[in-house]
């Protein structure tokens, strides 16, 4: 009898283990910053809050954001995170919870130390339009800056954007306040600085994107994120990762985002 019970327990444990799904999470081939570590922890906490145990495996993907979204649409990976746009929301299921609480649209300006004086004269879009920004060629931000009449050079290579500012072949590189400090530390370039006086501000959301083949995963993530917000854990996690006093001392320059989806 005891042997039967033990056998039954082992069988049930085996079934439970077998039923535990594996999700494949896209991982960019670059150093991980606080932004990424925040998202990995938030993903883990969200699935636990939704009581949805999974095995997570990371899949290295091409650094171009649009290619990763296409991989999601083809079912090659199950989950990634990205700034939202109408085109991207057609490729995969957007879990409509702003992962950075809108902070992805608060953009500090990385500039060369020798150019600080030029930026002191910037009061708004009119002065900024005389300068040249760099952004990723497939980033939604590139279209947003251009739609506001700002000059922007689309660049394929991530590191090249920092280098162009360092060699003074571009004037500034807008980076979100959740990214800029980690990136500055990683660059270790004394002449690359965050301009303290202004930042760009436009409505933007950053979501988990899930393959259309995994609707249950999207539902569980939505449930878990909501529970984390209701419990206060989400706000605590955000405050633990990001120091945002810069936003209280710098002046915002507001931009329109004609590609922003409110629903």
């Amino acid at each position: 009898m005891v042997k039967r019970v033990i056998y039954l327990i082992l069988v049930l444990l085996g079934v439970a283990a077998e039923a535990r799904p594996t999700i494949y999470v896209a991982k960019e081939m670059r150093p991980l910053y606080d932004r990424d570590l925040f998202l990995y922890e938030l993903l883990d906490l969200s699935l636990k809050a939704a009581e949805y145990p999974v095995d997570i495996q990371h899949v290295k993907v091409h650094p171009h954001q649009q290619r990763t979204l296409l991989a999601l649409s083809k079912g090659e990976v199950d989950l990634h995170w990205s700034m939202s746009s109408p085109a991207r929301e057609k490729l995969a299921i957007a879990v409509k919870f702003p992962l950075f609480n809108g902070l992805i649209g608060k953009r500090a300006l990385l500039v060369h130390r020798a150019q600080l004086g030029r930026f002191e004269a910037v009061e708004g879009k009119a002065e900024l339009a005389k300068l040249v920004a760099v952004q990723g060629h497939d980033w939604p931000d590139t279209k947003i800056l251009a739609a506001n009449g700002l000059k922007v050079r689309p660049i394929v290579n991530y590191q090249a954007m920092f280098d162009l500012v360092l060699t003074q072949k571009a004037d500034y590189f807008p980076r979100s306040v959740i990214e800029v400090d980690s990136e500055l530390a990683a660059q270790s370039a004394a002449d690359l600085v965050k301009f303290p006086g202004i930042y760009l501000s436009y409505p933007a959301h950053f979501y988990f994107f899930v393959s259309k083949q995994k609707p249950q995963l999207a539902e569980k993530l939505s449930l878990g994120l909501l529970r984390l917000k209701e419990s206060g854990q989400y706000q605590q996690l955000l405050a633990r990762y990001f120091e945002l006093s810069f936003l209280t001392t710098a002046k915002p320059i507001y931009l329109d985002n004609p590609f922003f989806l409110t629903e």
Side-chain angles (χ1 to χ4, degrees), residues 109-175:
L109 308 185
L110 288 184
V111 305
H112 192 285
R113 187 180 300 277
Q115 300 296 324
L116 286 171
R118 294 178 68 194
F119 284 86
E120 292 287 354
V122 174
E123 295 289 336
K125 284 197 290 185
E127 294 84 9
L128 201 59
K130 299 174 184 177
L131 304 171
V132 178
V134 286
Q135 290 283 267
H137 85 289
D138 61 343
W139 296 358
D141 312 273
T142 305
K143 291 183 178 180
I144 294 169
L145 296 183
N148 282 269
L150 303 181
K151 297 175 185 176
V152 54
R153 286 179 60 183
I155 304 296
V156 173
N157 184 274
Y158 169 74
Q159 180 58 42
M161 290 182 269
F162 296 99
D163 295 340
L164 285 168
V165 174
L166 274 170
T167 56
Q168 301 186 61
K169 294 177 181 176
D171 296 312
Y172 66 105
F173 184 14
R175 303 304 294 137

Side-chain angles (χ1 to χ4, degrees), residues 105-247:
K106 311 295 184 187
R107 300 267 160 167
L109 308 185
L110 288 184
V111 305
H112 192 285
R113 187 180 300 277
Q115 300 296 324
L116 286 171
R118 294 178 68 194
F119 284 86
E120 292 287 354
V122 174
E123 295 289 336
K125 284 197 290 185
E127 294 84 9
L128 201 59
K130 299 174 184 177
L131 304 171
V132 178
V134 286
Q135 290 283 267
H137 85 289
D138 61 343
W139 296 358
D141 312 273
T142 305
K143 291 183 178 180
I144 294 169
L145 296 183
N148 282 269
L150 303 181
K151 297 175 185 176
V152 54
R153 286 179 60 183
I155 304 296
V156 173
N157 184 274
Y158 169 74
Q159 180 58 42
M161 290 182 269
F162 296 99
D163 295 340
L164 285 168
V165 174
L166 274 170
T167 56
Q168 301 186 61
K169 294 177 181 176
D171 296 312
Y172 66 105
F173 184 14
R175 303 304 294 137
S176 168
V177 293
I178 57 155
E179 301 165 321
V180 64
D181 293 327
S182 292
E183 290 178 334
L184 269 177
Q187 291 296 313
S188 298
D191 285 330
L192 189 66
V193 297
K194 177 173 66 176
F195 181 65
I198 58 175
Y199 66 93
L200 305 181
S201 178
Y202 47 84
H205 286 329
F206 202 96
Y207 294 141
F208 284 133
F209 281 85
V210 176
S211 168
K212 291 181 179 180
Q213 299 176 22
K214 297 293 177 72
Q216 185 182 27
L217 174 59
E219 291 173 8
K220 294 296 184 180
L221 277 172
S222 182
L223 173 63
L225 288 164
L226 180 61
R227 286 178 175 175
L228 290 179
K229 186 173 183 179
E230 289 176 344
S231 70
Q233 285 180 272
Y234 166 75
Q235 294 84 348
Q236 292 169 11
L237 187 67
L238 196 69
R240 176 156 59 85
Y241 270 91
F242 306 113
E243 203 287 308
L244 302 171
S245 60
F246 167 76
L247 295 175

